Coordinates of all heavy atoms in Angstrom, one line a residue:
M394 N -26.7 30.0 -21.2 CA -25.8 30.9 -20.3 C -24.5 30.2 -20.2 O -24.5 29.0 -19.7 CB -26.5 31.2 -19.0 CG -27.5 32.2 -19.1 SD -26.8 34.0 -19.4 CE -26.2 34.3 -17.8
P395 N -23.4 30.9 -20.5 CA -22.0 30.2 -20.2 C -21.9 30.2 -18.6 O -22.2 31.0 -18.0 CB -21.0 31.2 -20.7 CG -21.8 32.4 -21.1 CD -23.2 32.2 -20.8
S396 N -21.6 28.9 -18.2 CA -21.4 28.8 -16.8 C -20.0 29.1 -16.3 O -19.3 29.8 -17.1 CB -21.9 27.4 -16.3 OG -21.0 26.4 -17.0
N397 N -19.6 28.7 -15.2 CA -18.2 28.9 -14.7 C -17.1 28.6 -15.8 O -17.1 27.5 -16.4 CB -18.0 27.9 -13.6 CG -16.7 28.1 -12.8 OD1 -15.8 28.7 -13.3 ND2 -16.7 27.7 -11.6
P398 N -16.4 29.7 -16.0 CA -15.3 29.5 -17.1 C -14.3 28.4 -16.9 O -13.8 27.8 -17.8 CB -14.6 30.9 -17.2 CG -15.1 31.6 -16.1 CD -16.3 30.9 -15.6
K399 N -14.2 28.0 -15.7 CA -13.3 26.8 -15.3 C -13.8 25.5 -15.9 O -13.1 24.6 -16.0 CB -13.2 26.7 -13.7 CG -12.2 27.7 -13.2 CD -12.2 27.5 -11.6 CE -11.2 28.6 -11.1 NZ -11.5 28.8 -9.6
N400 N -15.1 25.6 -16.3 CA -15.7 24.3 -16.8 C -15.6 24.3 -18.3 O -16.2 23.5 -18.9 CB -17.1 24.1 -16.3 CG -17.2 23.6 -14.9 OD1 -16.2 22.7 -14.6 ND2 -18.2 23.8 -14.2
T401 N -14.9 25.2 -18.9 CA -14.8 25.2 -20.3 C -13.5 24.4 -20.8 O -12.4 24.4 -20.1 CB -14.8 26.5 -21.0 OG1 -13.6 27.3 -20.6 CG2 -16.1 27.4 -20.5
R402 N -13.6 23.9 -21.9 CA -12.5 23.1 -22.5 C -12.5 23.4 -24.1 O -13.6 23.9 -24.6 CB -12.6 21.6 -22.4 CG -12.7 21.1 -20.9 CD -11.3 21.3 -20.3 NE -11.1 20.7 -19.0 CZ -11.4 21.3 -17.9 NH1 -11.8 22.6 -18.0 NH2 -11.3 20.8 -16.7
K403 N -11.3 23.1 -24.6 CA -11.2 23.4 -26.0 C -11.5 22.3 -26.9 O -11.0 21.2 -26.7 CB -9.8 23.9 -26.4 CG -9.7 24.6 -27.7 CD -8.3 25.3 -27.8 CE -7.3 24.2 -28.2 NZ -6.0 24.9 -28.6
C404 N -12.4 22.5 -27.9 CA -12.7 21.4 -28.9 C -11.5 21.3 -29.8 O -10.9 22.2 -30.3 CB -14.0 21.9 -29.7 SG -14.2 20.9 -31.1
C405 N -11.1 20.1 -29.9 CA -9.8 19.8 -30.7 C -10.0 19.9 -32.2 O -9.1 19.9 -33.0 CB -9.2 18.5 -30.4 SG -10.1 17.0 -30.8
V406 N -11.2 20.1 -32.6 CA -11.6 20.2 -34.0 C -11.7 21.7 -34.4 O -11.0 22.1 -35.2 CB -12.9 19.5 -34.3 CG1 -13.2 19.6 -35.9 CG2 -12.8 18.0 -33.9
C407 N -12.6 22.5 -33.8 CA -12.8 23.8 -34.3 C -11.9 24.8 -33.4 O -11.9 26.0 -33.7 CB -14.2 24.2 -34.2 SG -15.0 24.2 -32.7
K408 N -11.3 24.3 -32.2 CA -10.4 25.0 -31.4 C -11.2 26.1 -30.5 O -10.6 27.0 -30.1 CB -9.3 25.9 -32.2 CG -8.6 25.0 -33.2 CD -7.8 23.8 -32.6 CE -6.9 23.0 -33.6 NZ -6.5 21.7 -33.0
E409 N -12.5 26.0 -30.6 CA -13.2 27.0 -29.8 C -13.5 26.3 -28.4 O -13.6 25.2 -28.2 CB -14.7 27.3 -30.4 CG -14.4 28.3 -31.5 CD -15.7 28.5 -32.3 OE1 -16.8 28.4 -31.7 OE2 -15.6 29.0 -33.5
H410 N -13.6 27.2 -27.4 CA -13.9 26.8 -26.1 C -15.3 26.6 -25.9 O -16.2 27.4 -26.3 CB -13.3 27.8 -25.0 CG -11.8 27.7 -24.9 ND1 -11.2 27.1 -24.0 CD2 -10.9 28.2 -25.8 CE1 -9.8 27.2 -24.2 NE2 -9.6 27.8 -25.2
A411 N -15.7 25.6 -25.1 CA -17.2 25.5 -24.8 C -17.2 24.8 -23.4 O -16.4 24.2 -22.8 CB -17.7 24.6 -25.8
D412 N -18.4 24.9 -22.9 CA -18.8 24.2 -21.6 C -18.5 22.8 -21.7 O -18.9 22.1 -22.8 CB -20.2 24.6 -21.2 CG -20.3 24.2 -19.7 OD1 -20.1 25.1 -18.9 OD2 -20.7 23.2 -19.5
K413 N -18.0 22.1 -20.7 CA -17.8 20.7 -20.7 C -19.1 19.9 -21.0 O -18.9 18.8 -21.8 CB -17.4 20.2 -19.3 CG -15.9 20.3 -19.0 CD -15.6 20.0 -17.6 CE -14.6 19.0 -17.5 NZ -14.2 18.7 -16.0
S414 N -20.2 20.5 -20.7 CA -21.4 19.7 -21.0 C -21.8 19.7 -22.5 O -22.6 18.9 -22.9 CB -22.6 20.4 -20.2 OG -22.7 21.7 -20.7
E415 N -21.1 20.5 -23.2 CA -21.3 20.5 -24.7 C -20.3 19.8 -25.5 O -20.3 19.7 -26.7 CB -21.3 22.1 -25.2 CG -22.5 22.9 -24.7 CD -22.1 24.4 -24.9 OE1 -21.6 24.6 -26.1 OE2 -22.6 25.2 -24.2
L416 N -19.4 19.1 -24.7 CA -18.3 18.4 -25.4 C -18.2 17.0 -25.0 O -18.7 16.6 -24.0 CB -16.9 19.1 -24.9 CG -16.8 20.6 -25.3 CD1 -15.7 21.2 -24.2 CD2 -16.4 20.8 -26.6
I417 N -17.7 16.2 -26.0 CA -17.4 14.9 -25.7 C -15.9 14.7 -25.1 O -15.1 15.2 -25.8 CB -17.7 14.0 -26.9 CG1 -19.1 14.1 -27.5 CG2 -17.3 12.5 -26.7 CD1 -19.1 13.7 -29.0
R418 N -15.7 14.0 -24.1 CA -14.4 13.9 -23.6 C -13.8 12.6 -24.1 O -14.5 11.5 -24.0 CB -14.4 14.0 -22.1 CG -13.0 13.8 -21.5 CD -12.9 14.1 -19.9 NE -11.5 14.2 -19.5 CZ -11.0 13.3 -18.8 NH1 -11.6 12.3 -18.3 NH2 -9.7 13.5 -18.4
L419 N -12.6 12.6 -24.6 CA -11.9 11.4 -24.9 C -10.6 11.4 -24.0 O -10.0 12.3 -23.7 CB -11.6 11.4 -26.4 CG -12.8 11.4 -27.3 CD1 -13.0 12.6 -28.0 CD2 -12.8 10.2 -28.2
V420 N -10.3 10.1 -23.8 CA -9.1 9.9 -22.9 C -8.2 8.9 -23.4 O -8.6 7.8 -23.8 CB -9.5 9.6 -21.4 CG1 -8.4 9.3 -20.6 CG2 -10.5 10.6 -20.8
K421 N -6.8 9.2 -23.3 CA -5.9 8.3 -23.7 C -5.5 7.3 -22.5 O -5.1 7.9 -21.5 CB -4.6 9.0 -24.2 CG -3.6 8.0 -24.8 CD -2.6 8.7 -25.6 CE -1.8 7.8 -26.4 NZ -1.0 8.4 -27.4
T422 N -5.9 6.1 -22.5 CA -5.6 5.2 -21.5 C -4.5 4.2 -21.9 O -4.1 4.3 -23.0 CB -7.0 4.4 -21.1 OG1 -7.2 3.5 -22.2 CG2 -8.1 5.3 -20.9
S423 N -4.1 3.5 -21.0 CA -3.0 2.4 -21.4 C -3.6 1.4 -22.4 O -2.9 0.7 -23.1 CB -2.5 1.7 -20.2 OG -3.7 1.1 -19.5
D424 N -4.9 1.4 -22.6 CA -5.6 0.5 -23.4 C -6.0 1.2 -24.8 O -6.8 0.8 -25.5 CB -6.9 0.1 -22.6 CG -7.3 -1.3 -23.0 OD1 -6.4 -2.0 -23.5 OD2 -8.5 -1.6 -22.7
G425 N -5.4 2.4 -25.0 CA -5.8 3.2 -26.1 C -6.8 4.3 -25.8 O -7.1 4.5 -24.6
V426 N -7.3 5.0 -26.9 CA -8.1 6.1 -26.6 C -9.5 5.7 -26.5 O -10.1 4.7 -27.1 CB -8.0 7.1 -27.8 CG1 -9.1 8.2 -27.7 CG2 -6.6 7.8 -27.8
K427 N -10.2 6.2 -25.5 CA -11.6 5.8 -25.1 C -12.5 7.0 -25.0 O -12.0 8.1 -24.7 CB -11.6 5.1 -23.8 CG -10.7 4.0 -23.5 CD -11.4 2.6 -24.2 CE -10.5 1.5 -23.9 NZ -10.7 0.5 -24.9
I428 N -13.8 6.9 -25.3 CA -14.7 8.0 -25.0 C -15.1 7.9 -23.5 O -15.5 6.8 -23.1 CB -15.9 7.8 -26.0 CG1 -15.5 8.1 -27.4 CG2 -17.0 8.7 -25.5 CD1 -16.5 7.8 -28.4
D429 N -14.9 9.0 -22.9 CA -15.2 9.0 -21.5 C -16.5 9.5 -21.3 O -16.9 10.8 -21.2 CB -14.2 10.0 -20.8 CG -14.4 10.1 -19.3 OD1 -15.3 9.2 -18.8 OD2 -13.8 10.9 -18.7
T430 N -17.5 8.6 -21.1 CA -18.9 8.9 -20.9 C -19.1 9.5 -19.4 O -20.2 10.1 -19.2 CB -19.8 7.8 -21.3 OG1 -19.4 6.6 -20.5 CG2 -19.8 7.6 -22.7
T431 N -18.3 9.2 -18.5 CA -18.4 9.5 -17.2 C -17.8 10.9 -16.8 O -18.2 11.5 -15.8 CB -18.0 8.5 -16.2 OG1 -16.5 8.4 -16.4 CG2 -18.5 7.1 -16.3
G432 N -16.8 11.2 -17.6 CA -16.1 12.5 -17.3 C -15.2 12.3 -16.1 O -14.6 13.3 -15.7
K433 N -15.0 11.0 -15.8 CA -14.1 10.9 -14.5 C -12.9 9.9 -14.8 O -12.2 9.7 -13.9 CB -15.0 10.3 -13.5 CG -16.1 11.2 -12.9 CD -16.7 10.5 -11.8 CE -17.7 11.5 -11.1 NZ -18.6 12.2 -11.9
M434 N -12.7 9.6 -16.1 CA -11.5 8.7 -16.3 C -10.2 9.5 -16.2 O -10.1 10.6 -16.6 CB -11.8 8.2 -17.8 CG -12.7 7.0 -17.9 SD -13.2 6.6 -19.5 CE -11.6 5.9 -20.1
D435 N -9.2 8.9 -15.7 CA -7.8 9.3 -15.6 C -7.2 9.3 -16.9 O -7.4 8.5 -17.8 CB -7.1 8.6 -14.6 CG -7.5 8.9 -13.2 OD1 -7.9 10.0 -13.0 OD2 -7.2 8.1 -12.4
G436 N -6.4 10.4 -17.1 CA -5.5 10.3 -18.4 C -5.6 11.6 -19.1 O -6.4 12.5 -18.7
R437 N -4.8 11.7 -20.3 CA -4.8 12.9 -21.0 C -6.0 13.0 -21.8 O -6.4 12.0 -22.5 CB -3.6 12.8 -22.0 CG -2.9 14.3 -22.0 CD -1.6 13.9 -22.8 NE -1.7 13.9 -24.2 CZ -2.1 15.0 -25.0 NH1 -2.2 16.1 -24.5 NH2 -2.2 14.8 -26.3
G438 N -6.7 14.0 -21.8 CA -8.1 14.2 -22.5 C -7.9 15.1 -23.6 O -7.1 16.0 -23.7
A439 N -9.0 14.8 -24.5 CA -9.2 15.8 -25.6 C -10.7 16.0 -25.8 O -11.4 15.0 -25.3 CB -8.6 15.3 -26.9
Y440 N -11.2 17.0 -26.3 CA -12.6 17.2 -26.3 C -13.1 17.6 -27.8 O -12.4 18.2 -28.5 CB -12.9 18.5 -25.4 CG -12.6 18.2 -24.0 CD1 -11.3 18.3 -23.5 CD2 -13.6 17.7 -23.1 CE1 -11.0 18.0 -22.1 CE2 -13.3 17.5 -21.7 CZ -12.0 17.6 -21.3 OH -11.7 17.4 -20.0
V441 N -14.3 17.1 -28.1 CA -14.9 17.4 -29.4 C -16.3 17.9 -29.1 O -17.0 17.2 -28.2 CB -14.9 16.2 -30.3 CG1 -15.6 16.5 -31.6 CG2 -13.5 15.6 -30.5
H442 N -16.6 18.9 -29.8 CA -18.1 19.3 -29.6 C -19.1 18.2 -29.9 O -18.9 17.5 -30.8 CB -18.5 20.4 -30.7 CG -18.1 21.8 -30.2 ND1 -17.2 22.6 -30.8 CD2 -18.7 22.5 -29.0 CE1 -17.1 23.8 -30.0 NE2 -18.0 23.7 -29.1
R443 N -20.2 18.2 -29.2 CA -21.1 17.1 -29.4 C -22.2 17.7 -30.5 O -23.3 18.0 -30.2 CB -21.9 16.8 -28.1 CG -22.8 15.6 -28.1 CD -23.6 15.5 -26.8 NE -22.8 15.4 -25.7 CZ -22.2 14.2 -25.2 NH1 -22.4 13.1 -25.8 NH2 -21.4 14.2 -24.2
N444 N -21.6 17.9 -31.7 CA -22.5 18.2 -32.8 C -22.0 17.7 -34.0 O -20.9 17.3 -34.1 CB -22.7 19.8 -32.8 CG -21.4 20.6 -33.1 OD1 -20.6 20.1 -34.0 ND2 -21.2 21.7 -32.6
E445 N -22.8 17.6 -35.0 CA -22.5 16.9 -36.3 C -21.3 17.6 -37.0 O -20.5 16.8 -37.5 CB -23.7 16.9 -37.1 CG -23.9 15.7 -37.8 CD -25.2 15.6 -38.6 OE1 -26.2 16.3 -38.2 OE2 -25.2 14.9 -39.7
K446 N -21.3 18.9 -36.9 CA -20.2 19.6 -37.6 C -18.8 19.2 -37.1 O -18.0 18.8 -37.9 CB -20.5 21.1 -37.4 CG -19.6 22.0 -38.2 CD -20.0 23.4 -38.2 CE -18.8 24.4 -38.1 NZ -18.3 24.7 -36.7
C447 N -18.6 19.2 -35.8 CA -17.3 18.9 -35.2 C -17.0 17.5 -35.4 O -15.9 17.1 -35.7 CB -17.2 19.4 -33.9 SG -16.9 21.3 -33.9
I448 N -18.0 16.7 -35.1 CA -17.7 15.2 -35.1 C -17.4 14.8 -36.6 O -16.5 14.0 -36.8 CB -18.9 14.4 -34.6 CG1 -19.0 14.6 -33.1 CG2 -18.8 12.9 -34.9 CD1 -20.2 13.9 -32.4
D449 N -18.1 15.2 -37.6 CA -17.8 15.0 -39.0 C -16.3 15.4 -39.3 O -15.6 14.7 -39.9 CB -18.9 15.6 -39.9 CG -20.1 14.8 -40.1 OD1 -20.1 13.7 -39.7 OD2 -21.0 15.2 -40.9
A450 N -16.1 16.6 -38.9 CA -14.8 17.3 -39.3 C -13.7 16.5 -38.5 O -12.6 16.2 -39.1 CB -14.8 18.7 -38.9
C451 N -14.0 16.0 -37.3 CA -13.0 15.3 -36.6 C -12.7 14.0 -37.3 O -11.5 13.5 -37.4 CB -13.6 15.0 -35.2 SG -12.5 14.0 -34.1
I452 N -13.7 13.3 -37.8 CA -13.5 12.0 -38.5 C -12.8 12.3 -39.9 O -11.9 11.6 -40.1 CB -15.0 11.3 -38.7 CG1 -15.5 11.0 -37.3 CG2 -14.9 10.1 -39.6 CD1 -17.0 10.6 -37.4
K453 N -13.2 13.3 -40.6 CA -12.6 13.5 -41.8 C -11.1 13.9 -41.7 O -10.3 13.6 -42.5 CB -13.4 14.7 -42.6 CG -14.6 14.2 -43.2 CD -15.2 15.1 -44.2 CE -16.6 14.7 -44.7 NZ -17.6 15.7 -44.3
K454 N -10.8 14.7 -40.7 CA -9.4 15.2 -40.6 C -8.6 14.3 -39.6 O -7.5 14.7 -39.2 CB -9.5 16.6 -40.0 CG -10.1 17.6 -41.0 CD -10.1 19.0 -40.2 CE -10.9 20.0 -40.9 NZ -11.2 21.2 -40.1
F455 N -9.2 13.3 -39.0 CA -8.5 12.5 -38.1 C -7.9 13.4 -37.0 O -6.7 13.2 -36.6 CB -7.3 11.7 -38.7 CG -7.9 10.7 -39.7 CD1 -7.7 11.0 -41.1 CD2 -8.5 9.5 -39.2 CE1 -8.3 10.1 -42.0 CE2 -9.0 8.6 -40.1 CZ -8.9 9.0 -41.5
A456 N -8.8 14.4 -36.5 CA -8.3 15.3 -35.5 C -7.8 14.6 -34.2 O -7.0 15.2 -33.5 CB -9.4 16.2 -35.2
L457 N -8.4 13.5 -33.9 CA -7.9 12.9 -32.7 C -6.5 12.4 -32.7 O -5.8 12.4 -31.7 CB -8.9 11.7 -32.3 CG -10.3 12.0 -32.0 CD1 -11.2 10.8 -31.7 CD2 -10.4 12.9 -30.8
N458 N -6.2 11.9 -33.9 CA -4.8 11.5 -34.1 C -3.8 12.7 -33.8 O -2.8 12.5 -33.2 CB -4.4 11.0 -35.6 CG -5.3 9.7 -35.9 OD1 -6.3 9.6 -35.4 ND2 -4.7 9.0 -36.7
A459 N -4.2 13.9 -34.2 CA -3.4 15.1 -33.9 C -3.4 15.5 -32.5 O -2.5 15.7 -31.8 CB -3.8 16.2 -34.8
A460 N -4.6 15.4 -31.9 CA -4.8 15.7 -30.4 C -4.0 14.8 -29.6 O -3.4 15.2 -28.5 CB -6.3 15.6 -30.1
F461 N -4.1 13.5 -29.9 CA -3.3 12.5 -29.0 C -1.9 12.2 -29.6 O -1.3 11.3 -29.0 CB -4.2 11.3 -28.8 CG -5.3 11.5 -28.0 CD1 -6.6 11.5 -28.5 CD2 -5.2 11.6 -26.6 CE1 -7.7 11.7 -27.7 CE2 -6.3 11.9 -25.8 CZ -7.6 11.9 -26.4
K462 N -1.5 12.9 -30.6 CA -0.2 12.7 -31.2 C 0.1 11.2 -31.5 O 1.1 10.7 -31.0 CB 0.9 13.2 -30.3 CG 0.7 14.7 -30.3 CD 1.8 15.4 -29.5 CE 1.9 16.9 -29.4 NZ 0.6 17.5 -28.9
G463 N -0.9 10.5 -32.1 CA -0.7 9.1 -32.4 C -1.9 8.5 -33.0 O -2.9 9.3 -33.1
A464 N -1.8 7.3 -33.5 CA -2.9 6.8 -34.2 C -4.0 6.5 -33.3 O -3.8 6.0 -32.1 CB -2.6 5.5 -34.9
V465 N -5.3 6.7 -33.6 CA -6.4 6.4 -32.8 C -7.2 5.4 -33.6 O -7.5 5.6 -34.8 CB -7.3 7.7 -32.5 CG1 -8.5 7.4 -31.8 CG2 -6.4 8.7 -31.6
A466 N -7.7 4.4 -32.9 CA -8.5 3.3 -33.6 C -9.7 3.8 -34.4 O -10.4 4.8 -33.9 CB -8.9 2.3 -32.6
K467 N -10.0 3.3 -35.5 CA -11.2 3.6 -36.3 C -12.4 3.5 -35.4 O -13.3 4.3 -35.5 CB -11.2 2.7 -37.5 CG -12.3 3.1 -38.5 CD -12.4 2.0 -39.6 CE -13.6 2.2 -40.5 NZ -14.8 1.8 -39.7
E468 N -12.5 2.5 -34.5 CA -13.6 2.3 -33.7 C -14.0 3.4 -32.9 O -15.1 3.8 -32.6 CB -13.4 1.0 -32.8 CG -13.4 -0.3 -33.4 CD -12.1 -0.6 -34.3 OE1 -11.1 0.0 -34.0 OE2 -12.3 -1.4 -35.2
V469 N -13.0 4.2 -32.4 CA -13.2 5.4 -31.6 C -14.0 6.4 -32.5 O -15.0 7.1 -32.0 CB -11.9 5.9 -31.1 CG1 -12.1 7.2 -30.2 CG2 -11.2 4.9 -30.2
Y470 N -13.5 6.5 -33.7 CA -14.2 7.5 -34.6 C -15.6 7.1 -34.9 O -16.6 7.9 -34.9 CB -13.4 7.7 -35.9 CG -12.2 8.5 -35.8 CD1 -10.9 7.8 -35.6 CD2 -12.1 9.8 -35.8 CE1 -9.7 8.5 -35.5 CE2 -11.0 10.6 -35.6 CZ -9.8 9.9 -35.5 OH -8.7 10.7 -35.4
D471 N -15.7 5.7 -35.0 CA -17.1 5.2 -35.3 C -18.0 5.5 -34.1 O -19.1 6.0 -34.3 CB -17.1 3.7 -35.6 CG -16.5 3.4 -36.9 OD1 -16.4 4.3 -37.8 OD2 -16.1 2.2 -37.1
E472 N -17.4 5.3 -32.9 CA -18.1 5.5 -31.7 C -18.6 7.0 -31.5 O -19.7 7.3 -30.9 CB -17.4 5.1 -30.5 CG -18.1 4.1 -29.6 CD -17.3 3.6 -28.5 OE1 -16.1 3.1 -28.8 OE2 -17.6 4.0 -27.2
L473 N -17.7 7.9 -32.0 CA -18.1 9.3 -31.9 C -19.4 9.6 -32.3 O -20.2 10.3 -31.8 CB -17.0 10.1 -32.6 CG -15.9 10.8 -31.9 CD1 -15.1 11.7 -32.7 CD2 -16.3 11.6 -30.6
K474 N -19.7 9.0 -33.6 CA -21.1 9.3 -34.2 C -22.2 8.9 -33.4 O -23.3 9.5 -33.4 CB -21.0 8.5 -35.6 CG -20.2 9.2 -36.6 CD -20.6 8.8 -38.0 CE -20.1 9.9 -39.0 NZ -20.7 9.7 -40.3
N475 N -21.9 7.9 -32.5 CA -23.0 7.4 -31.7 C -23.3 8.4 -30.4 O -24.2 8.2 -29.7 CB -22.6 6.0 -31.2 CG -22.5 5.0 -32.3 OD1 -23.1 5.1 -33.3 ND2 -21.8 4.0 -32.0
Q476 N -22.4 9.3 -30.4 CA -22.5 10.2 -29.2 C -23.6 11.4 -29.5 O -23.8 12.2 -28.7 CB -21.2 10.9 -28.9 CG -20.2 9.8 -28.5 CD -20.5 8.9 -27.4 OE1 -21.0 9.4 -26.3 NE2 -20.4 7.6 -27.6
L477 N -23.9 11.5 -30.8 CA -24.8 12.6 -31.1 C -26.2 12.4 -30.5 O -26.7 11.2 -30.5 CB -24.9 12.7 -32.7 CG -23.9 13.4 -33.4 CD1 -23.9 13.2 -34.8 CD2 -23.7 14.9 -33.0
Ligands
ZN1108 ZN1 -15.9 22.1 -32.1

């Protein structure tokens, strides 16, 4: 069941909206882009579906570079795979 629409965010890969619980949050910090596992980190965020399809596409298309308008470390993409 879709919950409160206020809790939906857009996946930066497929551009579909989904509940926050179905998405991985990434945040641009002064230290670079990080995967926000707590959902509480400050900064500009981007979201990716927690599924193989979107994570794979994200890695292939470097979707995070586009979402954050800059280079995102390869380690971040590697780490995304561990979120499955
Ligand atoms: Zn998606």
Side-chain angles (χ1 to χ4, degrees):
M394 282 289 282
S396 55
N397 187 336
K399 281 181 185 160
N400 279 328
T401 66
R402 294 290 184 273
K403 194 170 83 172
C404 169
C405 71
V406 181
C407 68
K408 315 293 184 195
E409 281 177 24
H410 287 257
D412 192 90
K413 272 173 136 178
S414 63
E415 295 169 33
L416 301 159
I417 300 164
R418 181 171 191 248
L419 295 112
V420 180
K421 188 167 196 169
T422 70
S423 52
D424 213 17
V426 172
K427 306 274 183 208
I428 293 175
D429 178 11
T430 49
T431 63
K433 291 181 169 56
M434 281 167 69
D435 282 334
R437 220 170 79 75
Y440 297 82
V441 179
H442 273 116
R443 194 186 298 276
N444 65 36
E445 220 175 331
K446 183 173 145 269
C447 284
I448 290 177
D449 272 359
C451 179
I452 294 166
K453 283 194 189 115
K454 297 177 187 168
F455 297 101
L457 296 178
N458 294 31
F461 288 109
K462 298 183 170 61
V465 173
K467 185 183 169 292
E468 287 72 26
V469 177
Y470 286 99
D471 287 344
E472 229 180 300
L473 261 187
K474 288 207 158 187
N475 298 330
Q476 304 301 309
L477 280 171

